[in-house]
Amino acid sequence: MSNIIATGFNAGSTNGELESLEADLRALAEIGVDTVELGLTTLDLIAGGRIIRDRADRVVALTKKFDFRYTVHGLVSSNFMDPVTCRYQIDAAKALVEICDRIDARILVQHGGCLRADQIFDRAAADICEREALLELADFAEPYGVRIALENIFTTEPGQYRQTPAEVAETVKAVNHPNVVALIDFSHAYIESTYRGLNFREQIAAMAPVAGHLHLHDSFGRPQGFYKGFHPQENTAMGIGDLHMPLGWGDIDWESIFGELQFLPGTVAMMEIGARYRAEQLESLERARGLMAMNNREKAIAAE
């Protein structure tokens, strides 16, 4: 079996209603996409950790209109290091696991945690809190056949405690559960490596052996800092921040990375390049499929 099995784009609702999500899915189907990562928390599907059944039923019915392979992005604000909200987050994530199972999505994305600079909570304790939460969620997800993909994030405010990509890999290894894998977000790793003075390629290489999901989108690895563009396009013009640009717009050497690194079997290379770049999505799709084929060829050569 090839290690990278699919590529595609993320999709979500723009107004909290299903109609805008359906429009996005139809547009992706028209350009030949076969795999979609659903941002289900753009919809009101869960309240206080409980699934709103009629709304969930409508989502299930919508997903069945399309012949997509699905993955699911969990709470974008997810942070299992936060002692105040961790319990609520676990409950919401468990509800998302159940929805994943109903739509045959076998990956649920979970963002790596962080602490504010002024948060009075021991960092070692925060790491343990995250690991324990991941273990509880993974135990819950195992009977459903859903894997939790822990994503590396970049520092978003001065003094924040945030794990490096290599440390995210160590968290996955420490949890040591078959239903927990690392998620390499290459642009996030690039930005964090620049910010901390780390070697970008070494950081993602540390994650690769435990990575079962990937997020692809281009950037220049330049931290946002205190600059705030008036229009999002101004950040793009300066190459600053987490830009989520089409592949090739930034300076990430995708061919070199996918020619070098290997990932876990069953990995999806998901592009987080949204409808703003609809005109460029097809070109990115073709390039991602080329990267997938290259990576699987390298795996076959290495096995010989």
Side-chain angles (χ1 to χ4, degrees):
M1 178 181 179
S2 298
N3 282 15
I4 302 181
I5 58 172
T7 186
F9 293 100
N10 62 307
S13 172
T14 59
N15 60 359
E17 298 294 339
L18 280 176
E19 288 76 14
S20 61
L21 173 58
E22 182 171 2
D24 202 4
L25 293 176
R26 290 197 182 283
L28 293 176
E30 287 173 3
I31 63 172
V33 173
D34 57 24
T35 304
V36 172
E37 185 153 290
L38 295 171
L40 291 186
T41 59
T42 61
L43 300 163
D44 285 301
L45 298 179
I46 301 165
R50 293 177 292 106
I51 297 171
I52 307 302
R53 296 294 171 182
D54 60 332
R55 284 179 171 254
D57 290 344
R58 291 170 59 202
V59 168
V60 172
L62 172 60
T63 60
K64 289 181 177 178
K65 292 181 179 180
F66 302 92
D67 190 24
F68 290 134
R69 176 198 303 270
Y70 292 108
T71 63
V72 168
H73 200 302
L75 297 166
V76 178
S77 60
S78 56
N79 178 10
F80 281 167
M81 290 186 183
D82 181 16
V84 177
T85 64
C86 188
R87 181 71 260 159
Y88 309 143
Q89 292 185 50
I90 294 171
D91 292 343
K94 286 181 176 180
L96 283 169
V97 166
E98 292 187 50
I99 297 173
C100 282
D101 184 57
R102 290 195 61 190
I103 64 174
D104 197 24
R106 300 303 155 190
I107 283 284
L108 174 63
V109 174
Q110 168 76 27
H111 280 188
C114 65
L115 293 177
R116 299 187 312 273
D118 63 344
Q119 200 163 3
I120 303 174
F121 193 54
D122 181 76
R123 292 182 174 186
D127 290 341
I128 293 170
C129 181
E130 180 174 61
R131 292 174 185 182
E132 290 177 346
L134 286 168
L135 183 59
E136 179 181 340
L137 180 58
D139 281 342
F140 180 84
E142 188 170 16
Y144 293 97
V146 173
R147 296 196 294 181
I148 310 305
L150 183 65
E151 179 177 358
N152 61 292
I153 312 297
F154 54 92
T155 301
T156 57
E157 58 185 47
Q160 182 184 70
Y161 172 57
R162 176 80 72 181
Q163 289 186 336
T164 66
E167 289 169 342
V168 171
E170 289 305 311
T171 292
V172 171
K173 292 174 185 176
V175 173
N176 191 29
H177 195 290
N179 289 72
V180 176
V181 297
L183 189 171
I184 303 177
D185 187 304
F186 295 96
S187 183
H188 291 177
Y190 191 12
I191 292 168
E192 188 69 355
S193 295
T194 302
Y195 177 71
R196 297 209 192 189
L198 302 172
N199 185 297
F200 166 55
R201 295 295 287 266
E202 289 178 0
Q203 289 292 307
I204 59 176
M207 291 189 74
V210 291
H213 200 61
L214 309 173
H215 278 171
L216 284 64
H217 47 97
D218 224 334
S219 75
F220 294 94
R222 300 171 186 171
Q224 183 74 38
F226 293 102
Y227 176 80
K228 302 294 181 186
F230 185 81
H231 301 291
Q233 291 80 0
E234 294 177 353
N235 280 354
T236 304
M238 297 180 67
I240 291 176
D242 187 27
L243 299 171
H244 288 261
M245 296 187 299
L247 303 188
W249 280 37
D251 62 5
I252 295 177
D253 189 349
W254 296 106
E255 280 72 19
S256 176
I257 289 169
F258 278 78
E260 174 186 329
L261 299 182
Q262 288 297 320
F263 314 101
L264 294 175
T267 294
V268 171
M270 181 58 59
M271 289 178 286
E272 289 191 314
I273 302 168
R276 171 180 165 191
Y277 296 113
R278 186 75 76 206
E280 289 77 27
Q281 281 183 324
L282 180 56
E283 183 178 355
S284 285
L285 181 62
E286 291 171 349
R287 186 165 182 180
R289 285 172 173 166
L291 294 172
M292 184 173 74
M294 173 196 300
N295 188 261
N296 290 330
R297 281 197 302 270
E298 292 297 325
K299 176 199 171 191
I301 291 170
E304 290 178 355

